[in-house]
Amino acid sequence: MHKKYSIGMILIAIYIVFVFTIPPLVFEKSVTPILAGITIIMVAIYVILGLDIIHRTVIAMFGAVLSIILAIILGSMVAEDSLHFVIESVDFNTIGLLLGMMILVAILGETGVFHQVGIKLGKISKGNVWILMLLLCTFTSIASMFVDNVTTILLMIPVTLSITRTLGIHPIPFIIAQVLVSNIGGAATLIGDPPNILIGSAAGIDFNSFIVYMGPTIAVVFGFSLLLIKLFFKNELKSEQKLEQKEDVQELMHRDENVIVIHHKGLLIKSLIVLVGVIILFSLQTITHLEVSIVAIGGAAVLLIISRVSLERILHEVDWATLLFFVGLFVIVGVAEHAGLITILAKLAIGITGGDPWITFVMVIWLAGIASAFVDNIPFTTTMIPLIHTLNVDPTIASSFGPESGFQFSPLWWALALGADLGGNGTLIGSSAGVVAAGLSQKFGHHISFVRWIKIGFPFMLITLVVGTVVLYGFLLLMQ
């Protein structure tokens, strides 16, 4: 831990020296105090998040308060307006959607349906580790399309650990593979991955449009991902197959997957009806014009009423830390935008690409992909959204990516979604699903090191980004 603190302090100190020396020497321009202050805060937060020194929610909330205080002290904001600024900065549509879906899934998890599905998949595989890997990955990916991937991982990892323990095989390859495909599957829908929720809310993208534009690309990427998983885990799966014992398979085949569900059959039916209803309303958003947050919270309220489950127990299952993390990030990025950081970044990006729309498109994918591998894709996406808004109003980009060019939504939004979602697979800290999976594995005695993950995750990320870039580019040209 002391080593992490030292590394963090050194990195932050290097940036402080950089921000006060390089701009005056190279560009002959000084950075304004508020801009220097907010970028130092953001870099410090990213460093602390990357090194996992302090809980991400604590540092996000502290950073938000510090940013507001800094803006007030430097005269960039009036103290009386600070509360109004915070309220304006927070995207309550995103917070509401996450809260509603968390409650729905918490109640669904009470039924044991994920345990039931996991055991059934294990029985179908009959102990064949590659078939088991294929089935678990496919189910996890599909589930992540309709339940955010963090929740899917929370529900599936204990089941996977139970199955692998019964078969006497090592669970780490299965856990890593499920996180990788969870991030891929979640990229296909508006509600599958937290970055998509942020992007959809910021750009006004509805549920159906997200599936139409991202679905085909993600389907192709998922097909490639299964081949990559078999390639990367080939030796481990082969050795595990040899270790397989007949009695272990028989034990799995005799397990009763209905032991939990049978006692919660009524709750399961009610939960599935409400969940399907919520997804249908998501798909009818262009007709109803209801915000996804209203639909999700409404569905959660209905299920709480008809299920009569303990409200206190369900609220205890809600990931309040993640919700507060989002709130803190929204405020920090709001101050950064207020300070003019986003405008400077937009000018820099246009300068690098020459304003060429499709070069900018590719740049956004790869910038988001590489950055999201080392910084959790949630804060990175939050930072990038105002930048994409600014890029979209550039005359050259607007003429090619605007509504008059045939695109309902700017391709830069799809570029950001693809890069942030797939880039999160690069390292252990790249996505919330990866962090959650590592924590659960550690809890059950299976440590996943940063190096162990990056050996698989980083090449996996690079290959899927290449495939995704090519497929999405070709699809967008066909859709134009």
Side-chain angles (χ1 to χ4, degrees):
M1 183 58 73
H2 290 295
K3 187 177 180 180
K4 284 186 177 182
Y5 275 113
S6 300
I7 294 172
M9 293 298 292
I10 291 171
L11 291 174
I12 295 169
I14 289 173
Y15 179 75
I16 292 173
V17 173
F18 171 87
V19 80
F20 286 112
T21 58
I22 299 301
L25 292 174
V26 177
F27 303 105
E28 297 183 353
K29 289 183 179 180
S30 297
V31 178
T32 61
I34 181 62
L35 191 57
I38 190 62
T39 56
I40 290 171
I41 290 173
M42 293 181 75
V43 168
I45 288 172
Y46 285 151
V47 168
I48 292 170
L49 286 174
L51 295 175
D52 196 24
I53 298 173
I54 303 173
H55 193 285
R56 63 178 188 170
T57 303
V58 175
I59 191 60
M61 297 301 292
F62 178 74
V65 174
L66 191 60
S67 299
I68 294 293
I69 293 174
L70 181 70
I72 293 172
I73 292 174
L74 295 177
S76 179
M77 183 186 302
V78 179
E80 288 78 6
D81 295 335
S82 57
L83 179 58
H84 178 73
F85 179 85
V86 169
I87 294 172
E88 288 291 315
S89 298
V90 176
D91 186 345
F92 288 101
N93 192 42
T94 296
I95 300 297
L97 174 58
L98 284 170
L99 176 60
M101 294 306 294
M102 285 178 181
I103 293 173
L104 284 171
V105 173
I107 298 174
L108 184 62
E110 295 264 309
T111 67
V113 65
F114 281 85
H115 176 83
Q116 179 191 43
V117 170
I119 300 301
K120 281 190 174 181
L121 294 178
K123 288 184 176 181
I124 293 171
S125 72
K126 295 181 179 178
N128 183 298
V129 291
W130 166 242
I131 294 177
L132 178 61
M133 174 78 83
L134 180 67
L135 291 172
L136 287 173
C137 285
T138 301
F139 177 77
T140 301
S141 183
I142 293 173
S144 295
M145 293 173 62
F146 303 102
V147 178
D148 79 88
N149 53 13
V150 175
T151 304
T152 302
I153 290 300
L154 276 170
L155 294 169
M156 284 302 298
I157 295 303
V159 176
T160 301
L161 287 168
S162 176
I163 295 172
T164 54
R165 185 165 53 247
T166 300
L167 292 175
I169 56 179
H170 205 271
I172 300 301
F174 295 88
I175 293 171
I176 294 177
Q178 282 180 275
V179 174
L180 296 177
V181 297
S182 177
N183 284 328
I184 290 174
T189 68
L190 177 67
I191 60 174
D193 209 354
N196 292 1
I197 298 172
L198 292 165
I199 293 167
S201 181
I205 302 173
D206 59 273
F207 186 84
N208 290 350
S209 295
F210 224 104
I211 293 180
V212 169
Y213 279 88
M214 291 296 290
T217 299
I218 295 306
V220 175
V221 172
F222 176 69
F224 269 89
S225 72
L226 292 179
L227 296 176
L228 291 175
I229 286 170
K230 185 166 187 179
L231 176 65
F232 290 152
F233 293 114
K234 182 179 179 181
N235 293 332
E236 289 180 77
L237 292 178
K238 186 181 293 185
S239 62
E240 295 289 9
Q241 191 77 57
K242 291 178 181 178
L243 292 172
E244 200 174 277
Q245 299 294 322
K246 185 177 179 181
E247 56 268 26
D248 294 332
V249 178
Q250 290 301 316
E251 181 184 344
L252 176 64
M253 298 300 288
H254 285 96
R255 288 179 66 176
D256 183 10
E257 67 271 20
N258 298 313
V259 65
I260 300 176
V261 174
I262 197 169
H263 296 295
H264 300 89
K265 191 173 181 180
L267 180 60
L268 175 61
I269 293 172
K270 293 173 183 177
S271 299
L272 291 176
I273 289 173
V274 172
L275 184 60
V276 170
V278 166
I279 293 172
I280 290 173
L281 285 175
F282 282 157
S283 67
L284 296 176
Q285 189 182 9
T286 52
I287 298 173
T288 64
H289 301 292
L290 286 172
E291 293 288 356
V292 287
S293 57
I294 300 299
V295 174
I297 292 177
V302 169
L303 187 54
L304 283 168
I305 291 170
I306 64 176
S307 64
R308 296 184 180 181
V309 296
S310 169
L311 177 62
E312 288 74 16
R313 187 171 72 251
I314 296 302
L315 291 180
H316 183 72
E317 296 296 321
V318 171
D319 189 354
W320 296 106
T322 295
L323 296 179
L324 290 173
F325 176 61
F326 271 104
V327 171
L329 286 176
F330 284 135
V331 174
I332 294 167
V333 173
V335 175
E337 188 175 6
H338 179 71
L341 176 63
I342 306 304
T343 303
I344 293 173
L345 292 176
K347 289 179 179 178
L348 181 63
I350 292 171
I352 293 172
T353 64
D356 184 283
W358 288 109
I359 295 178
T360 305
F361 169 83
V362 174
M363 183 200 72
V364 169
I365 291 177
W366 283 88
L367 172 62
I370 300 300
S372 293
F374 298 97
V375 178
D376 190 302
N377 55 14
I378 295 173
F380 178 78
T381 303
T382 309
T383 306
M384 284 291 290
I385 283 172
L387 175 60
I388 300 300
H389 273 304
T390 305
L391 289 173
N392 281 331
V393 298
D394 177 75
T396 306
I397 294 177
S399 63
S400 297
F401 288 168
E404 66 280 356
S405 63
F407 290 115
Q408 184 182 3
F409 303 99
S410 169
L412 295 185
W413 292 117
W414 310 122
L416 178 58
L418 184 72
D421 292 341
L422 301 189
N425 281 329
T427 67
L428 184 61
I429 62 172
S431 70
S432 299
V435 174
V436 167
L440 276 176
S441 300
Q442 186 72 47
K443 183 179 178 180
F444 287 95
H446 302 283
H447 177 65
I448 303 177
S449 68
F450 188 88
V451 175
R452 172 76 169 89
W453 187 289
I454 206 170
K455 285 181 179 178
I456 299 294
F458 205 78
F460 182 93
M461 176 205 72
L462 293 177
I463 295 171
T464 53
L465 270 180
V466 170
V467 174
T469 301
V470 173
V471 176
L472 182 59
Y473 173 74
F475 179 74
L476 288 172
L477 289 180
L478 288 174
M479 291 288 286
Q480 190 173 9

